[in-house]
Amino acid sequence: ANMLAAGEHEKLEQLLRQSDALEESYWICAFCVNQHASICGGFACEPLPCTEAHKKWDLGHRDSVNGRIFDCCDCQEPKHFNN
């Protein structure tokens, strides 16, 4: 990124070509979501226990890698929901 910002396009291309990385493809998501304007402050209401809805809710507020519940944020960003 620094090389691009400095206008060193040719130098960057040369480095990528030398490392056989010039023809690599990458997926870049150009959309950004400000999670502080939507989901950082808490979770949806908990459904009745022992239901499929509760199972889905429980999975949705946990880290899929380590199983820990996501931390909530106490920021003051106004929230915007699709209610």
Side-chain angles (χ1 to χ4, degrees):
N2 291 336
M3 293 175 79
L4 289 174
E8 299 174 340
H9 303 96
E10 290 84 12
K11 183 177 179 181
L12 177 59
E13 182 178 352
Q14 181 182 10
L15 289 171
L16 291 171
R17 191 178 310 283
Q18 288 172 349
S19 63
D20 290 326
L22 191 60
E23 301 301 321
E24 294 290 323
S25 297
Y26 298 91
W27 171 257
I28 297 174
C29 180
F31 296 99
C32 297
V33 175
N34 178 359
Q35 292 185 359
H36 292 282
S38 58
I39 65 170
C40 75
F43 306 107
C45 295
E46 184 174 356
L48 292 173
C50 302
T51 62
E52 282 299 315
H54 189 275
K55 182 179 178 181
K56 183 176 178 181
W57 173 85
D58 188 56
L59 288 173
H61 78 283
R62 294 181 181 273
D63 185 303
S64 63
V65 175
N66 61 30
R68 286 183 275 192
I69 296 174
F70 291 116
D71 292 328
C72 292
C73 177
D74 62 357
C75 75
Q76 300 303 306
E77 181 76 22
K79 307 298 185 235
H80 305 279
F81 299 107
N82 292 336
N83 295 357

